[in-house]
Amino acid sequence: MTETPRPPTPLSTIADPAPLGLAAFALTTFLLSAKNAGWTDGTDAWLGYAFAYGGLIQLLAGMWEFRNRNVFGATAFASYGGFWIGLGLYVRWVAPTAAATAAATKANPEHLIQNDLGWILLAFAIFNTYMLLWSTQVTAAVFGVFLTLELTEVILFIGNLSHSSGVIKFGGWVGVLTALVAWYASAAGVVNGMGGRYALPVGGPLGGPRAVETAPVTQ
């Protein structure tokens, strides 16, 4: 009895979605961090991009990472895509109700919003902690993104829960650094994936096993 041969598993025809996801994350993070740092004089320029770029595009990148069987990339991009969409929904529809809640409880409406944001950021800092640990097995550039993001989230949740404008402003500065690191990782992914004459270093996994050097065999 002969076994029917199985057809070969087709190779993925999807390009690496990570540079796109990183670019979406970087730009939206930059816009919000610039506001937190006190650089902008407008309203909420980041809000539309939280839905369209940092949210939708990152979510799509996460789905494409699932197609590429990249569990880490899929979890990271889809989660932070959801983060931006959720934050946009909160600012657009939930935060405006703070005035009515404050009137009923005799609280400061701005403090109510900051308390909400503090808990949101704390929750994502917990998620980001184990993603930071596992990012050591990807590249140094990806680790840099998660490290600076961890610092941003921790500083901002402390600033919001303590109602400290100075700490929030400092968190904005660190957030800008996070965006720049993410933009670098995105740029490296784009140019390195082109297979041309130019390339940007991203580093290897941190703490990986060292290659064992063996003496040449002589006869």
Side-chain angles (χ1 to χ4, degrees):
M1 184 175 180
T2 60
E3 182 179 353
T4 303
R6 296 180 180 179
T9 303
L11 296 176
S12 174
T13 57
I14 299 176
D16 183 11
L20 174 62
L22 285 165
F25 171 79
L27 186 143
T28 315
T29 300
F30 176 80
L31 290 177
L32 178 56
S33 296
K35 178 180 176 62
N36 286 333
W39 293 357
T40 65
D41 296 323
T43 53
D44 286 311
W46 63 274
L47 187 55
Y49 292 87
F51 288 114
Y53 199 35
L56 177 60
I57 297 302
Q58 265 202 107
L59 184 59
L60 290 174
M63 297 304 101
W64 287 319
E65 287 285 31
F66 273 124
R67 180 64 179 81
N68 281 342
R69 300 180 182 275
N70 183 349
V71 176
F72 180 88
T75 303
F77 288 131
S79 294
Y80 277 105
F83 166 81
W84 284 114
I85 294 173
L87 185 62
L89 291 172
Y90 172 81
V91 171
R92 179 63 180 83
W93 280 285
V94 180
T97 67
T101 304
T105 60
K106 298 182 179 180
N108 185 323
E110 184 177 354
H111 285 183
L112 293 178
I113 295 172
Q114 288 178 339
N115 185 75
D116 289 345
L117 293 175
W119 282 101
I120 292 170
L121 289 163
L122 172 59
F124 269 90
I126 294 171
F127 164 73
N128 197 78
T129 298
Y130 67 79
M131 295 300 286
L132 170 64
L133 294 175
W134 310 150
S135 71
T136 59
Q137 303 306 302
V138 187
T139 64
V142 171
F143 173 75
V145 174
F146 280 90
L147 177 61
T148 51
L149 178 57
E150 181 82 1
L151 294 174
T152 302
E153 291 174 341
V154 170
I155 294 169
L156 286 177
F157 89 67
I158 291 174
N160 278 281
L161 290 178
S162 64
H163 311 303
S164 172
S165 59
V167 175
I168 293 173
K169 185 174 182 179
F170 177 59
W173 281 83
V174 180
V176 170
L177 175 62
T178 302
L180 294 176
V181 175
W183 260 322
Y184 175 85
S186 173
V190 171
V191 71
N192 294 350
M194 294 172 66
R197 59 184 296 184
Y198 301 107
L200 289 174
V202 295
L206 305 180
R210 294 183 178 179
V212 179
E213 294 183 1
T214 58
V217 177
T218 57
Q219 295 182 348

